[in-house]
Structures are given as C-alpha cells and as structure tokens.
Amino acid sequence: MQEIRITGEKVVLRPMGYEDTDLIVKWRNNERVRGNFIYRETFTAKGHENWIKTMVATGRVVQFIICEKKDMRPVGSVYFRDIDRIKKEAEYGIFLGEDDAAGKGYGTETARLACDYAFEKMGLKKLVLRVFTDNEAAVKSYRNAGFAEESLLKDVVCSDGEKKDMLFMSKGKETLVSFVIPCYRSELTLPKVVKEIRESVQNLRQQGKNYDYEIILVNDCSPDDTFSVIKDFCMEDRKIKGVNLSKNFGQHAALMAGFHQVKGDIVICLDDDGQTPADEAGKLLEGIEKGSDVVYAKYEHKKHSVFRNFGSKVNEEMARIMLGKPKNLYVSSYFAAKRFVVEEMKKYTNAYPYVIGLVLRTTKRISNVTVCHREREIGTSGYTFGKLIGLWFNGFTAFSVKPLRLATLVGCACSAMGFIYGIYTVIKKLVNPNVPMGFSSLMAAIVFLGGMTMVMLGLVGEYIGRMYISMNNAPQFVIRETINDEE
C-alpha cells in the first residue's frame, strides 16, 4: 500500500510508526510540550508502543509526523483521537517537539493540511480540541485554521495538581466557494476584484460562517497582459487557478471552461471589471443557505451605458418570452449556484453555450437578492452590438423552438392575408369591371412575401447550421494551459 503523504508549502505529514517511538518520547517529555498537556507524567517508550497497538492500529487514532519540507526533518506530531465514525467527529491534537520549529508557521499549515485530510479523506464533519488559555501561540494558530471558541473550562486540574483555564474549540467542515471570473482586458481591474473576494470570505469567517474559497480566473485570450497578472496570482496563492483559452470564445464559453475546474460546493460567477461587488457575495450565499438552487444579483440602479442597459433589457425580455423565465426574476452575470446545478450545466457540450438557458432548464428554485452596482472605473465594456446580437441568437436558437413556431405563425398569417386579399380583388372586379389591375400593388405583395420567405428560410438555416456545427463536435472552448490545476 502506498504511504500517505500530505504535502504543503513548508511541511510534509507522513504516518507515524513504531520507528518514531524515541522521537515521540523525547518530544512529550520536553518541558514546553508537557506543560500544554493535562497528563504530565513521564512518557515512556512502552507507553507509546501501547498507544500505537491499542489506538493507532485499531483505527481509533490517526496520527502523523510533521516534517520540514526542505529536508524531511521530523519536528512534531498531529493526531485525531476518539474518532466517532457514526457522528463523524474526532478530537484534534498537535505539538511541535523541536524548540526551533516554533514560530515558523508550521502549526498553522499543519492544521490546515490535517483538517482538510480529516474532512475530505476520513469523512469527518466536525473536529474539537482543548487548549490552555495561556498557550497564546497555539490559540492564535487554531483560530487562523478556522477553529472557533465554544466554551471556557475554568480551573482544569492537571495530573501534577496545577489548575489552568482551558478553551474548548471546534471546527466544522468548511463550505468551499468557487469564484469563476471570465477575464478580458482586465489587467488593471483584476487585482482589486481578487483582493475583494479574499476580504469578503475573511469577513464571513469572522461572522462565524464556515466558508473557504478558490478562485478560477479564465483568460479569454485577452490582448493585454491579463494572463501575466493571473500567473502572478497563481504563484502567490494556491487557491487561485489560472485557465488560458487558445482564442476568444466569449463570456459564456469562458464560464463553461471555469465550471470544469471548480471543486466548490457553491459556485459564484462575477465580472472582472469590479462593477459586480464581490464584497456582497455573502448576500448570494445567504440566499443559497435559505434553499435556493441559484441566486441572481439584482441591481436597483445599473451603472452601465445606455446601450448596454438596452441590451440587458432585450436579453431579459428574450429570456422571458423564449425560455420561460419568470417575469419577476432578474438575471445577471453575477450569480451563485449549487454544485449540482453546475454539474448539470457541464453536461451541455454543444458549441453555443448560453448559461441563463442552462440554469432555467435545470431548476425552478431561483431567487434574487439586491446588491449595488458600481461605476466602471477603468476601460469600457467588451460587449459590442455584434456580440450582443450573437448572445441573443445563442439564447433563442440553442434552447427554444419558439422562433420556428413564430415563423410558422407568420407564414400562416401571410397566407391568410393573401387569400383574403385575393377574394377582395375578385369581388372588387365583379362589382366594378372597370377597376384597373395595379402593377405597384402586385410588386409590393411579391416583395413582401418574398422577404418574409427569405427571413424564415434564414431562421431555419440558422438552426440547421448550428446543428451541423454541433454534429462536427466544434468545441465550446480550447484550453491552452492551466496553472495550479492539481489534477
């Protein structure tokens, strides 16, 4: 069986074995370490071997040795004891045995790595720990790792008779939120958006919300240095993933590329220009917590240009008429969705993705929350009139047959009008034989009917063309490279 190794930036965790007995005995008898335990009797090799035999070997305890990554020097240990497989709970414990390992951030990183392992691999849902209040460094480390204080135990009696106050802390499995951002001409605006996401999640954690985050930045073949900025972010933060598309596929295709990278329980999509307020992501998450599958941001006062607002209005009406969007539902590019919705959206592999249509056909549990909309500080919108027309065509040709039905109705109406006009002409001639037959009216009818015929044929051709392209497996997107993709 392959040995488990959990690797971080500073430390590596490996399973503890009998060969580590001498180290554990040395560390546990260290005065600094022993003072942080309730049990303070001299620790022996026999006691540790019995611990392995009765606890570790039976699965009641999972224990790792903490090693410095640079040379694999053992510096401490971390463990989970009293594992309850039914309640999916366990007690967490850690100690750094080497004095020179303290103050280097090893404890904080170990806590993050070990807790992730407990939640993801061991299937636990809650961890608890006990720590003396005077062990300020440990308390700070636990807080940084996401543990919250539940109660204070006064005058806990240690085995040597000393009484000390002890904090009881706990940590539940965090909800991972994946932020997906399509990026185009955003080298100047992206840093502010990323910073705001980090601060937003941190504020939520301080409010007692158990959230963690990852950010997926999808470069839609931006002509500026956007991808260089994304690379820098990925180098400094493993929670940020970079996706570089081989050419410009459009916002909705870029979102689909991001969806294939997410690992979060909840996915939030937002713009790269800072107009969608990342610091109000908590409102979207609150809507998800209340039971909605998808939550769209609604703006009281949009700060887009008149042209862009008109395009959004047309898009809204098109989605209502063609896709069955509820009239009171506002859709926007800033929304949160549960993971199962995103997984269902990923099943759509045709070349013309339209995210709103995919959402509407997946669930009806969709709600709105009101957020502010900001002025664009830098640059202009990347949506031209041509791109908006293309977006509208995607919407009503990829997810609705109503345009074809409309064409049928128009054709029937024109035929009826022609038939009625023909009867009118015959009756008119019978009543007044001297009425001249008009060349102009004849040509107008021909031009009108011919134009309508060409429009309907073009609409049918649009559907057939899209079917042809889809049958040829034209890709939604092509990824040139990814950064920080662990898989």
Side-chain angles (χ1 to χ4, degrees):
M1 182 182 293
Q2 186 177 6
E3 184 183 71
I4 300 171
R5 281 182 181 264
I6 307 172
T7 303
E9 296 179 1
K10 299 178 180 179
V11 300
V12 174
L13 310 184
R14 63 167 176 80
M16 184 194 68
Y18 285 101
E19 66 276 9
D20 299 306
T21 298
D22 291 343
L23 274 175
I24 296 293
V25 170
K26 169 191 168 186
W27 292 337
R28 281 297 308 274
N29 289 324
N30 181 316
E31 286 298 323
R32 175 181 55 81
V33 174
R34 185 161 54 180
N36 292 322
F37 280 84
I38 296 176
Y39 177 80
R40 297 179 176 180
E41 304 302 326
T42 301
F43 203 71
T44 64
K46 183 178 180 180
H48 182 255
E49 290 172 356
N50 185 60
W51 168 269
I52 295 178
K53 182 179 179 180
T54 60
M55 294 293 196
V56 178
T58 59
R60 296 171 64 187
V61 170
V62 173
Q63 189 160 358
F64 296 95
I65 295 296
I66 306 168
C67 301
E68 290 180 324
K69 186 176 181 179
K70 58 182 179 181
D71 57 6
M72 291 300 292
R73 178 178 74 118
V75 295
S77 182
V78 59
Y79 57 86
F80 302 99
R81 59 177 295 171
D82 299 331
I83 300 173
D84 189 326
R85 302 291 181 181
I86 297 177
K87 292 184 178 180
K88 299 186 182 300
E89 297 180 0
E91 181 173 343
Y92 168 86
I94 179 176
F95 58 89
L96 295 175
E98 301 295 334
D99 292 334
D100 62 352
K104 295 183 178 180
Y106 293 165
T108 299
E109 184 177 54
T110 296
R112 179 177 61 81
L113 295 172
C115 291
D116 287 347
Y117 178 83
F119 291 132
E120 301 301 327
K121 302 300 183 182
M122 295 172 61
L124 302 181
K125 293 184 177 180
K126 184 178 181 180
L127 298 174
V128 298
L129 64 84
R130 294 168 291 174
V131 58
F132 289 124
T133 55
D134 62 355
N135 191 355
E136 296 179 358
V139 172
K140 181 179 179 181
S141 176
Y142 294 143
R143 286 172 177 161
N144 290 338
F147 283 88
E149 301 170 17
E150 286 198 3
S151 61
L152 174 64
L153 308 177
K154 300 288 289 184
D155 296 329
V156 175
V157 181
C158 301
S159 62
D160 60 359
E162 183 182 7
K163 294 182 179 180
K164 300 179 72 173
D165 292 343
M166 175 176 283
L167 280 175
F168 183 78
M169 307 179 75
S170 67
K171 174 184 174 71
K173 183 178 180 180
E174 292 177 328
T175 299
L176 180 62
V177 181
S178 299
F179 292 84
V180 179
I181 307 177
C183 304
Y184 188 79
R185 294 186 182 276
S186 54
E187 61 173 317
L188 299 179
T189 58
L190 203 54
K192 181 178 179 180
V193 175
V194 171
K195 179 183 178 182
E196 199 168 43
I197 289 174
R198 289 169 168 163
E199 292 175 348
S200 176
V201 175
Q202 184 61 33
N203 290 337
L204 290 171
R205 291 168 69 99
Q206 291 175 357
Q207 296 169 20
K209 304 286 187 178
N210 219 12
Y211 290 118
D212 197 3
Y213 74 92
E214 66 171 359
I215 304 174
I216 293 86
L217 304 175
V218 184
N219 178 44
D220 196 15
C221 201
S222 180
D224 59 3
D225 288 331
T226 294
F227 193 61
S228 296
V229 174
I230 293 174
K231 283 183 175 179
D232 292 340
F233 279 127
C234 294
M235 290 292 291
E236 69 181 39
D237 190 348
R238 296 287 299 178
K239 292 183 178 182
I240 299 179
K241 297 181 184 178
V243 180
N244 191 24
L245 301 185
S246 62
K247 72 182 189 73
N248 183 258
F249 287 90
Q251 182 185 24
H252 288 244
L255 283 173
M256 294 297 289
F259 291 161
H260 283 77
Q261 303 294 322
V262 300
K263 294 183 178 180
D265 307 289
I266 301 172
V267 177
I268 293 182
C269 301
L270 66 161
D271 295 338
D272 59 344
D273 54 16
Q275 288 190 272
T276 51
D279 60 353
E280 295 195 61
K283 292 183 178 180
L284 301 178
L285 294 171
E286 185 178 353
I288 294 291
E289 290 175 355
K290 290 180 178 179
S292 296
D293 295 331
V294 180
V295 180
Y296 279 99
K298 182 178 182 180
Y299 311 116
E300 288 185 339
H301 303 288
K302 293 190 69 175
K303 304 298 183 179
H304 285 314
S305 64
V306 175
F307 164 73
R308 182 69 187 278
N309 285 333
F310 171 74
S312 298
K313 184 66 176 178
V314 172
N315 191 49
E316 282 278 317
E317 289 301 309
M318 184 209 70
R320 183 181 65 83
I321 297 171
M322 300 296 182
L323 305 179
K325 178 186 75 67
K327 187 175 182 179
N328 60 346
L329 176 66
Y330 179 88
V331 296
S332 65
S333 59
Y334 190 20
F335 67 95
K338 290 182 178 178
R339 179 64 178 271
F340 86 90
V341 176
V342 173
E343 291 299 320
E344 188 63 31
M345 293 166 69
K346 285 164 56 178
K347 295 177 182 177
Y348 183 83
T349 58
N350 290 335
Y352 298 98
Y354 186 61
V355 171
I356 296 172
L358 292 170
V359 169
L360 291 173
R361 79 175 190 177
T362 300
T363 180
K364 295 298 183 183
R365 294 169 63 176
I366 308 173
S367 63
N368 282 129
V369 294
T370 302
V371 302
C372 69
H373 192 251
R374 300 169 178 158
E375 293 279 0
R376 189 183 184 100
E377 296 181 358
I378 302 173
T380 57
S381 173
Y383 268 109
T384 62
F385 180 74
K387 287 184 177 180
L388 283 175
I389 292 294
L391 180 64
W392 299 336
F393 262 96
N394 277 351
F396 67 71
T397 58
F399 296 94
S400 176
V401 295
K402 287 185 179 180
L404 291 177
R405 293 173 181 170
L406 179 62
T408 301
L409 291 175
V410 172
C412 292
C414 289
S415 298
M417 290 169 57
F419 180 73
I420 294 171
Y421 185 73
I423 294 176
Y424 166 76
T425 303
V426 172
I427 294 174
K428 189 176 181 180
K429 186 67 175 177
L430 291 175
V431 172
N432 185 6
N434 295 322
V435 173
M437 301 301 295
F439 175 77
S440 298
S441 60
L442 178 63
M443 290 303 297
I446 291 174
V447 171
F448 173 74
L449 294 175
M452 291 301 300
T453 301
M454 295 302 294
V455 169
M456 302 312 165
L457 285 176
L459 184 58
V460 173
E462 181 71 24
Y463 275 91
I464 294 174
R466 287 171 181 263
M467 290 170 57
Y468 174 76
I469 292 173
S470 296
M471 289 173 61
N472 279 281
N473 296 320
Q476 287 180 351
F477 54 85
V478 177
I479 296 177
R480 185 187 301 278
E481 62 180 305
T482 59
I483 307 175
N484 284 350
D485 184 5
E486 297 175 1
E487 297 181 359

mmCIF file of all heavy atoms in Angstrom, residues 177-181 197 200-201 212-217 262 266-270 278 281 285 334:
data_model
loop_
_atom_site.group_PDB
_atom_site.id
_atom_site.type_symbol
_atom_site.label_atom_id
_atom_site.label_comp_id
_atom_site.label_asym_id
_atom_site.label_seq_id
_atom_site.Cartn_x
_atom_site.Cartn_y
_atom_site.Cartn_z
ATOM 1 N N VAL A 177 -16.330 27.682 -1.581
ATOM 2 C CA VAL A 177 -16.982 28.526 -2.581
ATOM 3 C C VAL A 177 -16.005 28.758 -3.726
ATOM 4 O O VAL A 177 -14.889 29.236 -3.509
ATOM 5 C CB VAL A 177 -17.423 29.872 -1.975
ATOM 6 C CG1 VAL A 177 -18.122 30.723 -3.027
ATOM 7 C CG2 VAL A 177 -18.337 29.643 -0.781
ATOM 8 N N SER A 178 -16.426 28.417 -4.935
ATOM 9 C CA SER A 178 -15.587 28.615 -6.123
ATOM 10 C C SER A 178 -16.045 29.878 -6.849
ATOM 11 O O SER A 178 -17.196 29.971 -7.278
ATOM 12 C CB SER A 178 -15.693 27.415 -7.067
ATOM 13 O OG SER A 178 -15.253 26.236 -6.454
ATOM 14 N N PHE A 179 -15.143 30.858 -6.958
ATOM 15 C CA PHE A 179 -15.430 32.083 -7.697
ATOM 16 C C PHE A 179 -14.889 31.932 -9.121
ATOM 17 O O PHE A 179 -13.685 31.712 -9.306
ATOM 18 C CB PHE A 179 -14.781 33.292 -7.025
ATOM 19 C CG PHE A 179 -15.386 33.648 -5.689
ATOM 20 C CD1 PHE A 179 -14.977 33.008 -4.528
ATOM 21 C CD2 PHE A 179 -16.377 34.616 -5.599
ATOM 22 C CE1 PHE A 179 -15.525 33.332 -3.297
ATOM 23 C CE2 PHE A 179 -16.935 34.951 -4.369
ATOM 24 C CZ PHE A 179 -16.507 34.305 -3.216
ATOM 25 N N VAL A 180 -15.756 32.021 -10.106
ATOM 26 C CA VAL A 180 -15.362 31.880 -11.506
ATOM 27 C C VAL A 180 -15.457 33.240 -12.173
ATOM 28 O O VAL A 180 -16.517 33.878 -12.167
ATOM 29 C CB VAL A 180 -16.251 30.860 -12.240
ATOM 30 C CG1 VAL A 180 -15.841 30.752 -13.709
ATOM 31 C CG2 VAL A 180 -16.169 29.490 -11.566
ATOM 32 N N ILE A 181 -14.340 33.695 -12.757
ATOM 33 C CA ILE A 181 -14.291 35.026 -13.355
ATOM 34 C C ILE A 181 -13.748 34.939 -14.785
ATOM 35 O O ILE A 181 -12.570 34.623 -14.980
ATOM 36 C CB ILE A 181 -13.398 35.971 -12.536
ATOM 37 C CG1 ILE A 181 -13.824 35.981 -11.066
ATOM 38 C CG2 ILE A 181 -13.438 37.384 -13.116
ATOM 39 C CD1 ILE A 181 -12.934 36.831 -10.179
ATOM 40 N N ILE A 197 -12.527 39.627 -3.040
ATOM 41 C CA ILE A 197 -13.035 38.274 -2.770
ATOM 42 C C ILE A 197 -12.411 37.740 -1.489
ATOM 43 O O ILE A 197 -13.102 37.195 -0.618
ATOM 44 C CB ILE A 197 -12.730 37.344 -3.953
ATOM 45 C CG1 ILE A 197 -13.603 37.700 -5.156
ATOM 46 C CG2 ILE A 197 -12.964 35.882 -3.563
ATOM 47 C CD1 ILE A 197 -13.265 36.928 -6.410
ATOM 48 N N SER A 200 -13.851 39.481 1.484
ATOM 49 C CA SER A 200 -15.241 39.101 1.683
ATOM 50 C C SER A 200 -15.354 37.769 2.410
ATOM 51 O O SER A 200 -16.130 37.631 3.368
ATOM 52 C CB SER A 200 -15.959 39.021 0.332
ATOM 53 O OG SER A 200 -17.278 38.567 0.482
ATOM 54 N N VAL A 201 -14.552 36.773 1.979
ATOM 55 C CA VAL A 201 -14.586 35.465 2.630
ATOM 56 C C VAL A 201 -14.072 35.572 4.063
ATOM 57 O O VAL A 201 -14.613 34.954 4.988
ATOM 58 C CB VAL A 201 -13.768 34.435 1.830
ATOM 59 C CG1 VAL A 201 -13.697 33.101 2.567
ATOM 60 C CG2 VAL A 201 -14.376 34.228 0.447
ATOM 61 N N ASP A 212 -14.667 28.576 2.886
ATOM 62 C CA ASP A 212 -13.339 28.706 2.310
ATOM 63 C C ASP A 212 -13.539 29.045 0.829
ATOM 64 O O ASP A 212 -14.665 28.996 0.324
ATOM 65 C CB ASP A 212 -12.534 27.418 2.476
ATOM 66 C CG ASP A 212 -11.037 27.648 2.274
ATOM 67 O OD1 ASP A 212 -10.638 28.809 2.062
ATOM 68 O OD2 ASP A 212 -10.279 26.666 2.316
ATOM 69 N N TYR A 213 -12.483 29.384 0.136
ATOM 70 C CA TYR A 213 -12.663 29.827 -1.241
ATOM 71 C C TYR A 213 -11.587 29.276 -2.169
ATOM 72 O O TYR A 213 -10.506 28.865 -1.753
ATOM 73 C CB TYR A 213 -12.637 31.357 -1.314
ATOM 74 C CG TYR A 213 -11.248 31.955 -1.139
ATOM 75 C CD1 TYR A 213 -10.441 32.218 -2.242
ATOM 76 C CD2 TYR A 213 -10.742 32.237 0.125
ATOM 77 C CE1 TYR A 213 -9.161 32.744 -2.079
ATOM 78 C CE2 TYR A 213 -9.483 32.771 0.294
ATOM 79 C CZ TYR A 213 -8.692 33.022 -0.819
ATOM 80 O OH TYR A 213 -7.427 33.536 -0.652
ATOM 81 N N GLU A 214 -11.918 29.263 -3.448
ATOM 82 C CA GLU A 214 -10.962 29.123 -4.532
ATOM 83 C C GLU A 214 -11.412 30.071 -5.635
ATOM 84 O O GLU A 214 -12.598 30.415 -5.714
ATOM 85 C CB GLU A 214 -10.896 27.685 -5.048
ATOM 86 C CG GLU A 214 -12.169 27.203 -5.722
ATOM 87 C CD GLU A 214 -11.991 25.857 -6.423
ATOM 88 O OE1 GLU A 214 -10.873 25.309 -6.398
ATOM 89 O OE2 GLU A 214 -12.988 25.368 -7.002
ATOM 90 N N ILE A 215 -10.469 30.533 -6.422
ATOM 91 C CA ILE A 215 -10.781 31.488 -7.490
ATOM 92 C C ILE A 215 -10.282 30.903 -8.807
ATOM 93 O O ILE A 215 -9.116 30.515 -8.915
ATOM 94 C CB ILE A 215 -10.134 32.857 -7.241
ATOM 95 C CG1 ILE A 215 -10.561 33.414 -5.875
ATOM 96 C CG2 ILE A 215 -10.497 33.841 -8.341
ATOM 97 C CD1 ILE A 215 -9.851 34.702 -5.494
ATOM 98 N N ILE A 216 -11.159 30.825 -9.785
ATOM 99 C CA ILE A 216 -10.784 30.344 -11.113
ATOM 100 C C ILE A 216 -10.835 31.532 -12.063
ATOM 101 O O ILE A 216 -11.906 32.105 -12.313
ATOM 102 C CB ILE A 216 -11.706 29.209 -11.607
ATOM 103 C CG1 ILE A 216 -11.525 27.948 -10.758
ATOM 104 C CG2 ILE A 216 -11.412 28.872 -13.048
ATOM 105 C CD1 ILE A 216 -12.356 27.881 -9.523
ATOM 106 N N LEU A 217 -9.681 31.934 -12.564
ATOM 107 C CA LEU A 217 -9.561 33.065 -13.478
ATOM 108 C C LEU A 217 -9.361 32.532 -14.891
ATOM 109 O O LEU A 217 -8.357 31.871 -15.175
ATOM 110 C CB LEU A 217 -8.391 33.955 -13.070
ATOM 111 C CG LEU A 217 -8.421 34.497 -11.623
ATOM 112 C CD1 LEU A 217 -7.139 35.268 -11.323
ATOM 113 C CD2 LEU A 217 -9.637 35.378 -11.408
ATOM 114 N N VAL A 262 -13.903 23.817 -11.229
ATOM 115 C CA VAL A 262 -14.323 24.102 -9.856
ATOM 116 C C VAL A 262 -14.379 22.833 -9.012
ATOM 117 O O VAL A 262 -14.632 21.734 -9.508
ATOM 118 C CB VAL A 262 -15.699 24.806 -9.826
ATOM 119 C CG1 VAL A 262 -15.655 26.113 -10.587
ATOM 120 C CG2 VAL A 262 -16.797 23.900 -10.384
ATOM 121 N N ILE A 266 -20.406 25.479 -3.681
ATOM 122 C CA ILE A 266 -21.181 26.573 -4.260
ATOM 123 C C ILE A 266 -20.278 27.304 -5.253
ATOM 124 O O ILE A 266 -19.092 27.499 -4.996
ATOM 125 C CB ILE A 266 -21.666 27.554 -3.173
ATOM 126 C CG1 ILE A 266 -22.547 26.826 -2.147
ATOM 127 C CG2 ILE A 266 -22.434 28.724 -3.782
ATOM 128 C CD1 ILE A 266 -22.904 27.672 -0.946
ATOM 129 N N VAL A 267 -20.842 27.703 -6.387
ATOM 130 C CA VAL A 267 -20.080 28.413 -7.417
ATOM 131 C C VAL A 267 -20.672 29.808 -7.568
ATOM 132 O O VAL A 267 -21.890 29.966 -7.699
ATOM 133 C CB VAL A 267 -20.134 27.664 -8.762
ATOM 134 C CG1 VAL A 267 -19.394 28.455 -9.839
ATOM 135 C CG2 VAL A 267 -19.532 26.270 -8.627
ATOM 136 N N ILE A 268 -19.818 30.821 -7.509
ATOM 137 C CA ILE A 268 -20.236 32.206 -7.719
ATOM 138 C C ILE A 268 -19.551 32.736 -8.972
ATOM 139 O O ILE A 268 -18.324 32.649 -9.100
ATOM 140 C CB ILE A 268 -19.893 33.095 -6.514
ATOM 141 C CG1 ILE A 268 -20.721 32.688 -5.295
ATOM 142 C CG2 ILE A 268 -20.135 34.569 -6.838
ATOM 143 C CD1 ILE A 268 -20.475 33.542 -4.066
ATOM 144 N N CYS A 269 -20.327 33.271 -9.891
ATOM 145 C CA CYS A 269 -19.790 33.867 -11.117
ATOM 146 C C CYS A 269 -19.933 35.385 -11.034
ATOM 147 O O CYS A 269 -20.990 35.890 -10.642
ATOM 148 C CB CYS A 269 -20.543 33.340 -12.339
ATOM 149 S SG CYS A 269 -20.479 31.548 -12.528
ATOM 150 N N LEU A 270 -18.870 36.079 -11.402
ATOM 151 C CA LEU A 270 -18.905 37.535 -11.376
ATOM 152 C C LEU A 270 -17.989 38.084 -12.449
ATOM 153 O O LEU A 270 -17.225 37.329 -13.083
ATOM 154 C CB LEU A 270 -18.517 38.086 -10.003
ATOM 155 C CG LEU A 270 -17.090 37.878 -9.507
ATOM 156 C CD1 LEU A 270 -16.785 38.885 -8.394
ATOM 157 C CD2 LEU A 270 -16.875 36.485 -8.963
ATOM 158 N N ALA A 278 -17.925 42.096 -5.217
ATOM 159 C CA ALA A 278 -17.542 40.839 -4.560
ATOM 160 C C ALA A 278 -17.750 40.900 -3.057
ATOM 161 O O ALA A 278 -17.928 39.862 -2.412
ATOM 162 C CB ALA A 278 -16.075 40.518 -4.879
ATOM 163 N N ALA A 281 -20.908 39.171 -1.777
ATOM 164 C CA ALA A 281 -21.115 37.752 -2.084
ATOM 165 C C ALA A 281 -21.879 37.052 -0.967
ATOM 166 O O ALA A 281 -22.585 36.062 -1.205
ATOM 167 C CB ALA A 281 -19.767 37.066 -2.312
ATOM 168 N N LEU A 285 -24.725 33.978 -0.969
ATOM 169 C CA LEU A 285 -24.565 32.752 -0.193
ATOM 170 C C LEU A 285 -25.715 32.576 0.797
ATOM 171 O O LEU A 285 -26.171 31.448 1.041
ATOM 172 C CB LEU A 285 -23.228 32.778 0.549
ATOM 173 C CG LEU A 285 -21.983 32.738 -0.350
ATOM 174 C CD1 LEU A 285 -20.722 32.983 0.468
ATOM 175 C CD2 LEU A 285 -21.888 31.410 -1.078
ATOM 176 N N TYR A 334 -23.883 38.126 -12.402
ATOM 177 C CA TYR A 334 -23.430 37.914 -11.022
ATOM 178 C C TYR A 334 -24.429 36.995 -10.329
ATOM 179 O O TYR A 334 -25.552 37.402 -10.015
ATOM 180 C CB TYR A 334 -23.349 39.261 -10.311
ATOM 181 C CG TYR A 334 -22.675 39.244 -8.943
ATOM 182 C CD1 TYR A 334 -21.827 38.211 -8.561
ATOM 183 C CD2 TYR A 334 -22.878 40.278 -8.039
ATOM 184 C CE1 TYR A 334 -21.206 38.204 -7.329
ATOM 185 C CE2 TYR A 334 -22.262 40.299 -6.796
ATOM 186 C CZ TYR A 334 -21.427 39.250 -6.443
ATOM 187 O OH TYR A 334 -20.819 39.232 -5.215
#
